Amino acid sequence: MFKKLQLAGRFSVLVYFAIWFLTLSFLLRAVFFIWQSNEVSWNVLHVIQTLLTGLFFDLGTLSFVCIPAIVYYTLMPNKFVGSRADKLLVWFFTTLTIIIVIFTFFAEITFWDEFKTRFNFIAVDYLIYTHEVVANINQSYPLPLLIGGVLCISAGILLVFYKTGAFTTSFTKKASLKQRLSVLGGTVAVAFIYGFFVSNSMAEWSTNRYNSEISKSGIYSFFAAFRNNQMKYDEFYTKIENDKAFEIIRKKLAEPNSEYTHQGYSIHRTITDSVPPAEKKNVVFILVESLSASFMTEFGNTDKITPFLDSLAQKSVFFDNLYATGNRTVRGMEAVTLCIPPTPGQSIVKRPDNANLYTVNSVFKAKGYDTNFFYGGDGYFDNMNAYFGGNGFNIYDRGHGSVLGDKIQAVRNHIEDNEVTFENAWGICDEDIFNKMLSVADKQYATGQPFFNFVMTTSNHRPYSYPSGKIDIPSGTGRNGAVKYTDFALRELFAKAKTKPWYKNTVFVIIADHCASSAGKDEIDVANYHIPAFIVNLPDAENQRVSKLCSQIDLFPTLFGLLHWSYESDFFGKNVLEDGFEQRSVMGTYRKLTLMKEDKVMILSDQRKQAFYSWNKKDNSLKALPMQQSFLEEAIAWYQTADYLFTKKMLK
């Protein structure tokens, strides 16, 4: 076999590399099959199609990876073949490429462990925020062992290349200019076809999401996500006439106590409450990292890791049928501040032109509140500081040298070292960020100005580390410990807050940003969008369990209703407690957009595709249904109008 491979002559190293790359890609695919063995489809035809589709995308990836080497082989004159410079360059770049590819395959395994998917836009983001990501990897995995493994495997592969004569053949055999140009032309042609005519979404052939993800090539998926980080609704999704879309959505948002202030393509309206509000209550809003409803005893968990939150469920306005809009923190932030469905591509929090929008902070500001955003890491991450600062919040964060843009007028306050008792890759522990908020609230109270403090937690995130001795689960041992520590930190927050003079006039709102995982075998794993929410410290008469199907986008409109506020609204969310509230939730990924009503689920996909399902809550499965046109048009209306209003800068 090796003698036959040497017939490749000058291109021997490249041929060896190609065979090695395809073999390793196949083995990685096999690892993922075994990893998800209980959820993939093992139908023989499905397995074969998964592997063949994977090979197809691996060949496309290979064509791009090999182009630089082929260009070099084409341009290097034959008289220099085998020279010291030729050997040095070929050895160096072959070694470097193999190390990068091996490291990428290791990265794919860790990424799959976290997200159960090939590289996507999250991986693209991770290249930007290197401080947090590198620190997280270092704290979550044995990095020296990982790097050592990459180098050892790379050395072993190079040794095989050397022992089988690949390098010797490449340095002794020459190729004519015609041969070199033929190889270059053929490879460029293949790369051109893949680059312009082969979409990464073509790998999504299966109704089983895991088979589709395993069909993909990680490297190919990464660059596809890089190219399509923002997606315009009207270019990629099924549309209806804007007149019809806005007619549908305006009917859905109409309420007896609201009045539209503009006709046509607008949802701006005045909400009027007939009951005069009491004194202005302070609001402490806590967005909890990765708090799935399934962690709570209230929803059947038997690990007893949320004793405090379970106790709050009995003495608050507790939402037990509420769903997140997405699977990233920035989606949760977008949902609760803009009260808007998830538009395709990146969250609005990370997009350009996202300052001076009409957010819930606009309502608080109009009522004279002092508003602040608290984050225990560097708010540069995920563009949080730019978004919150650009929309009227002052910032409290743990900066690592990043600065706010010149156009942002917010005051940024640094959380000092002496205020920190524990810190990991993502920021200071939840107790520390709560303590910082409490100290700021004391100062706000002293001024006599009501306050709205928005706190983002970080402890319930890999590497799941927190101060030792706080709970009975050792730090860094897994998700359960991080959840229990967050629950402990919330209990401590309330214990301290109750000693404050401002407590009796303060409402606490707690909700998750998203679930701990949103991956499943179906297009949308509905159960993995189910999150808890609480409104705490209202008069006892207001406490209730809210079982209406609703969304993150409804939380603040419901709070404003409970506070009897009249206000201007550009929100898609509504007061869940109103008698006429129509139950529904909106959720999605960066490509899938979903409307759920009762047990019916409509999923809109790019390439103008749509699918209609019934959802079985007991086993979390989706069953295909015949398309229902009115349901489809309503789903389109939610997302088409949201995208239209943002892209046309009409949410300001």
Side-chain angles (χ1 to χ4, degrees), residues 17-79:
F17 173 83
I19 293 172
W20 163 79
F21 178 86
L22 295 175
T23 302
L24 207 62
S25 297
F26 170 81
L27 293 175
L28 183 62
R29 210 161 268 118
V31 167
F32 291 150
F33 256 117
I34 295 169
W35 199 327
Q36 305 300 146
S37 58
N38 293 329
E39 297 178 275
V40 294
S41 170
W42 287 102
N43 178 288
V44 174
L45 293 178
H46 292 173
V47 172
I48 292 173
Q49 187 166 355
T50 300
L51 296 176
L52 289 178
T53 304
L55 177 61
F56 175 77
F57 279 92
D58 290 340
L59 290 171
T61 304
L62 190 62
S63 68
F64 288 109
V65 172
C66 289
I67 282 179
I70 294 173
V71 169
Y72 169 77
Y73 286 136
T74 302
L75 297 179
M76 175 63 77
N78 276 337
K79 65 179 180 179

Side-chain angles (χ1 to χ4, degrees), residues 248-302:
I248 291 171
I249 212 65
R250 283 167 67 96
K251 287 181 179 178
K252 295 296 177 183
L253 297 181
E255 296 173 283
N257 65 335
S258 70
E259 181 179 355
Y260 285 106
T261 58
H262 300 81
Q263 298 301 313
Y265 298 172
S266 170
I267 62 167
H268 190 85
R269 57 206 187 277
T270 300
I271 310 291
T272 304
D273 197 298
S274 58
V275 178
E279 61 179 322
K280 293 178 181 177
K281 288 188 174 292
N282 306 308
V283 176
V284 173
F285 180 83
I286 303 168
L287 193 62
V288 182
E289 174 68 46
S290 304
L291 183 65
S292 304
S294 60
F295 292 143
M296 293 182 60
T297 304
E298 280 286 326
F299 298 106
N301 190 294
T302 59

Side-chain angles (χ1 to χ4, degrees), residues 578-638:
E578 287 286 345
D579 291 337
F581 178 78
E582 185 177 350
Q583 299 183 49
R584 51 88 190 100
S585 67
V586 287
M587 62 189 81
T589 65
Y590 77 109
R591 290 176 52 214
K592 308 283 186 181
L593 309 173
T594 303
L595 173 66
M596 181 167 73
K597 299 175 71 174
E598 297 179 348
D599 63 343
K600 301 298 188 293
V601 176
M602 182 70 71
I603 301 176
L604 308 176
S605 303
D606 51 345
Q607 298 183 313
R608 305 189 189 283
K609 295 180 180 178
Q610 52 274 320
F612 191 40
Y613 299 99
S614 64
W615 176 52
N616 186 324
K617 190 172 184 178
K618 291 182 178 179
D619 64 6
N620 191 33
S621 63
L622 296 178
K623 181 181 178 181
L625 294 174
M627 185 56 60
Q628 189 178 109
Q629 188 63 26
S630 60
F631 202 124
L632 172 62
E633 290 179 352
E634 182 183 343
I636 292 170
W638 282 99

Side-chain angles (χ1 to χ4, degrees), residues 352-365:
D353 300 320
N354 66 2
N356 301 312
L357 301 176
Y358 194 84
T359 69
V360 296
N361 194 43
S362 305
V363 178
F364 283 101
K365 285 289 189 182

Side-chain angles (χ1 to χ4, degrees), residues 151-450:
L151 294 177
C152 287
I153 294 172
S154 300
I157 293 166
L158 289 167
L159 183 63
V160 171
F161 284 17
Y162 176 75
K163 288 290 187 180
T164 53
F167 285 104
T168 301
T169 304
S170 286
F171 296 143
T172 56
K173 300 292 184 179
K174 299 178 181 179
S176 67
L177 182 61
K178 181 180 179 180
Q179 290 173 320
R180 286 179 277 157
L181 289 174
S182 297
V183 173
L184 177 63
T187 306
V188 170
V190 170
F192 178 84
I193 292 170
Y194 275 92
F196 288 93
F197 300 105
V198 178
S199 166
N200 196 50
S201 62
M202 292 179 181
E204 297 170 3
W205 57 272
S206 176
T207 55
N208 186 303
R209 192 191 65 84
Y210 287 112
N211 286 74
S212 293
E213 288 297 322
I214 295 171
S215 295
K216 296 176 182 177
S217 162
I219 297 173
Y220 198 95
S221 295
F222 176 87
F223 285 99
F226 187 83
R227 291 174 60 187
N228 298 304
N229 229 4
Q230 293 190 18
M231 304 174 72
K232 294 181 179 179
Y233 184 92
D234 58 359
E235 290 183 12
F236 292 94
Y237 293 84
T238 306
K239 297 185 297 181
I240 56 178
E241 292 296 324
N242 279 326
D243 288 349
K244 188 170 188 178
F246 276 95
E247 179 185 359
I248 291 171
I249 212 65
R250 283 167 67 96
K251 287 181 179 178
K252 295 296 177 183
L253 297 181
E255 296 173 283
N257 65 335
S258 70
E259 181 179 355
Y260 285 106
T261 58
H262 300 81
Q263 298 301 313
Y265 298 172
S266 170
I267 62 167
H268 190 85
R269 57 206 187 277
T270 300
I271 310 291
T272 304
D273 197 298
S274 58
V275 178
E279 61 179 322
K280 293 178 181 177
K281 288 188 174 292
N282 306 308
V283 176
V284 173
F285 180 83
I286 303 168
L287 193 62
V288 182
E289 174 68 46
S290 304
L291 183 65
S292 304
S294 60
F295 292 143
M296 293 182 60
T297 304
E298 280 286 326
F299 298 106
N301 190 294
T302 59
D303 293 330
K304 298 180 179 179
I305 53 177
T306 58
F308 179 71
L309 288 172
D310 286 313
S311 71
L312 282 187
Q314 314 306 320
K315 48 190 177 185
S316 66
V317 180
F318 175 51
F319 299 80
D320 67 5
N321 199 18
L322 186 148
Y323 289 78
T325 62
N327 50 24
R328 301 248 7 239
T329 295
V330 287
R331 277 297 185 203
M333 290 175 168
E334 170 191 85
V336 296
T337 56
L338 285 166
C339 306
I340 192 172
T343 51
Q346 282 283 19
S347 163
I348 290 172
V349 174
K350 293 177 63 66
R351 292 196 198 179
D353 300 320
N354 66 2
N356 301 312
L357 301 176
Y358 194 84
T359 69
V360 296
N361 194 43
S362 305
V363 178
F364 283 101
K365 285 289 189 182
K367 295 185 179 296
Y369 278 67
D370 180 50
T371 63
N372 298 280
F373 171 66
F374 296 81
Y375 178 61
D378 188 335
Y380 169 73
F381 182 77
D382 267 350
N383 205 46
M384 287 187 280
N385 279 355
Y387 175 75
F388 283 94
N391 286 288
F393 290 86
N394 290 319
I395 307 295
Y396 288 85
D397 76 329
R398 187 87 168 128
H400 298 294
S402 61
V403 296
L404 293 175
D406 294 336
K407 295 181 180 180
I408 299 174
Q409 302 301 313
V411 176
R412 186 182 186 188
N413 303 274
H414 186 261
I415 299 172
E416 302 297 339
D417 291 347
N418 60 9
E419 299 175 287
V420 177
T421 63
F422 183 89
E423 189 169 15
N424 66 16
W426 297 105
I428 62 179
C429 65
D430 290 351
E431 286 177 279
D432 288 344
I433 196 64
F434 292 154
N435 287 337
K436 181 63 180 178
M437 188 280 297
L438 289 170
S439 67
V440 172
D442 288 341
K443 295 175 183 177
Q444 292 170 311
Y445 173 73
T447 68
Q449 186 178 10

